[in-house]
Amino acid sequence: MFDQFALHERLLKAVAELKFVEPTPVQVAAIPPALEGRDLRVTAQTGSGKTAAFVLPMLNRLIGDAVVRTDVRALILLPTRELAQQTLKEVERFSQFTFIKSAMITGGEDFKVQAAVLRKVPDILIGTPGRMIEHLNAGTLILKDVEMLILDEADRMLDMGFAEDVQRLVGECAKRQQTLLFSATSGGSALREMTASVLRDPLHLQLNRISELSEGTRQQIITAEDTAHKEKLVHWLLANETYKKAVIFTNTRVQADRLYGRLVAEGVKAFVLHGDKDQKDRKLAIDRVKEGGVKVLVATDVAARGLDIEGLDLVINFDMPRSGDEYVHRIGRTGRAGAEGLAISLICHNDWNLMSSIERYLKQRFEHRVVKGLKGSYMGPKNLKASGKAAGPKKKKDDKKKDDKKKAKPTAKRPKNAKREQPSPVVSQDGMAPLKRKKPTAE
Ligand code: AMP
């Protein structure tokens, strides 16, 4: 319950109004130390409830004192316009019973209009680094009174080349009392450097994003021969699955455009989102999907970062993501805040090893599904056949030997037609049982 936190009653009222009942793990971990004024370094993905984890303590700080303000008191820096819009919405929802004012400054919007907004001095300013720097340079933005600074999706800001801009903005907030840094991944050396230079004696909170993933989302794989086969599978799934909204991920822009073209040609109402699209197209695509006018979005990873679409309950990996982290990012978009979701990865022969490595990373087994009439001929390595995971073509003797060598056990022979025991599910680090290994299911 949210009343476990020492939050102002007006914030608790907003939480109740929004029908948030149970705080998510990141909220449980981050809100108390943030309320105590500690600097935090939090690893948590979009979809985990991380926004409320920093917005509530921020509002609590601002609501408390009757300070006469002349400049911005809290700054939220984040990588994309979409994330800024979502965050502003969340801030406004939580501050609805207070007098706290917030505003957003991102690229792609009228500079003069933004300057006018800044003249009214919002308490909380949310935005992307590039445009903030332009306002600093023009003298339309003053950050010297910022008390609290949030760097959201800091890893992504670094990926996008904002390191210098972020450092400059952080430097402008010289009098700040508290800084919270959130990132979806544990990041590399650049993020470690930023953490060291920006945070003071931070508390590190590493939320197990992987275990959160499995809570509301079923994860399946379907094998395919090639791209054309995958396209047929997508068409079948969109026609036969029950879903409110779906996103289909591809690894390249070219593939995203191609698939989008196919879907539209088949009469599916869809939008495509990738790095070549300008802000206007992106906004139109996201708005239409959010409103429900369009149910299907084809997207690349970069374009879909930070996307939070309510009711998104189907994710299809047209291409297998290249890493476990990327998989978590994609799948984390569905099954949010306890909702049900379905994630289906389409696997060609040469994706199998990548898929297996992602399974190992997640400490989970994907359910193997077969679509009748569209069955792939490759069903995985032969040694998985008996465990019910896959039934595939015979392997060469040499391969089989290698596989057998890899397996440390069992050593005892089992009668040919004896039922093999299901392997017990691996238990992930925090003790949550992942999805069980399932037999292929035919449609
Ligand atoms: P976020 O990770 O901040 O992008 O949050 C993902 C979605 O979950 C947003 O739509 C939030 O409004 C929602 N949410 C966050 N915390 C909770 C909660 N404790 N209960 C229900 N929904 C939540």
Side-chain angles (χ1 to χ4, degrees), residues 274-283:
H274 57 57
D276 282 346
K277 298 279 162 191
D278 65 20
Q279 282 294 349
K280 233 173 80 196
D281 289 340
R282 283 170 69 89
K283 189 168 178 330

Side-chain angles (χ1 to χ4, degrees), residues 154-372:
D155 50 346
R156 182 83 193 113
M157 285 201 277
L158 293 175
D159 285 354
M160 289 170 74
F162 285 137
E164 231 175 82
D165 289 351
V166 171
Q167 287 293 0
R168 166 138 185 240
L169 289 159
V170 170
E172 292 290 323
C173 306
K175 281 200 289 182
R176 71 187 187 278
Q177 293 154 21
Q178 189 178 16
T179 310
L180 310 183
L181 185 149
F182 284 74
S183 78
T185 60
S186 38
S189 58
L191 187 62
R192 277 196 297 279
E193 271 170 37
M194 177 173 281
T195 304
S197 69
V198 167
L199 302 179
R200 295 164 205 152
D201 182 27
L203 184 66
H204 287 249
L205 299 173
Q206 172 96 33
L207 271 295
N208 191 335
R209 304 170 307 122
I210 293 166
S211 67
E212 284 163 31
L213 189 67
S214 61
E215 271 180 61
T217 304
R218 286 179 76 191
Q219 296 169 77
Q220 302 179 333
I221 60 162
I222 303 178
T223 55
E225 305 299 311
D226 49 26
T227 303
H229 188 187
K230 285 186 179 183
E231 284 169 358
K232 283 188 195 136
L233 283 166
V234 168
H235 188 66
W236 188 94
L237 289 168
L238 293 179
N240 292 281
E241 274 299 330
T242 312
Y243 63 96
K244 288 195 210 112
K245 289 169 193 171
V247 60
I248 308 169
F249 283 101
T250 66
N251 287 351
T252 64
R253 295 169 189 187
V254 173
Q255 184 57 62
D257 277 334
R258 179 185 149 130
L259 179 61
Y260 166 71
R262 293 285 146 106
L263 292 176
V264 171
E266 283 156 0
V268 177
K269 272 192 185 171
F271 266 117
V272 62
L273 203 64
H274 57 57
D276 282 346
K277 298 279 162 191
D278 65 20
Q279 282 294 349
K280 233 173 80 196
D281 289 340
R282 283 170 69 89
K283 189 168 178 330
L284 179 72
I286 292 169
D287 286 351
R288 290 296 302 281
V289 177
K290 279 190 173 169
E291 286 157 13
V294 168
K295 281 171 69 178
V296 179
L297 192 63
V298 181
T300 58
D301 296 292
V302 171
R305 282 270 189 159
L307 208 67
D308 178 21
I309 294 179
E310 213 174 301
L312 184 69
D313 47 3
L314 177 62
V315 171
I316 300 176
N317 288 321
F318 188 88
D319 296 313
M320 201 61 190
R322 295 180 186 110
S323 73
D325 265 347
E326 208 56 80
Y327 181 89
V328 173
H329 268 295
R330 290 184 181 183
I331 306 312
R333 274 150 228 297
T334 180
R336 290 193 168 187
E340 293 284 306
L342 176 62
I344 304 170
S345 301
L346 307 182
I347 307 287
C348 280
H349 187 155
N350 52 8
D351 297 322
W352 192 272
N353 287 345
L354 177 59
M355 185 277 294
S356 300
S357 70
I358 293 174
E359 280 189 327
R360 284 196 298 278
Y361 175 76
L362 300 176
K363 296 194 171 71
Q364 293 187 5
R365 294 285 171 204
F366 302 140
E367 186 183 330
H368 192 170
R369 179 173 168 184
V370 173
V371 174
K372 214 174 159 191

